[in-house]
Amino acid sequence: MKRFDCGTLVPGCPWHTSAEDEAEVVRRSVEHLRTTHGETTIRESMIDNIKARIKDEEKA
């Protein structure tokens, strides 16, 4: 599983998402940035910043 914590990009945001593959994590993260943080333009650099912060989630 892959995990992205929005707070690593937007300080103070508690939102996070997990999915089997990186592409789904990025898709969900972009949607979150649009709906919650009001981002209207998602630049390639923003996608790169999301990807750089995706971590492998520890199995419980």
Side-chain angles (χ1 to χ4, degrees):
M1 290 288 283
K2 304 290 185 182
R3 178 183 171 112
F4 171 73
D5 292 282
C6 189
T8 63
L9 189 62
V10 180
C13 182
W15 184 87
H16 65 273
T17 189
S18 298
E20 286 296 325
D21 58 59
E22 184 178 271
E24 180 62 15
V25 172
V26 170
R27 186 196 70 74
R28 292 177 187 179
S29 299
V30 166
E31 183 64 23
H32 169 73
L33 289 171
R34 285 187 173 126
T35 59
T36 303
H37 299 297
E39 293 291 334
T40 56
T41 302
I42 305 297
R43 294 182 171 81
E44 190 172 336
S45 61
M46 184 68 78
I47 300 296
D48 292 341
N49 283 329
I50 292 169
K51 287 180 178 180
R53 289 166 172 81
I54 293 174
K55 304 293 183 207
D56 286 324
E57 193 170 56
E58 301 272 332
K59 298 203 179 203

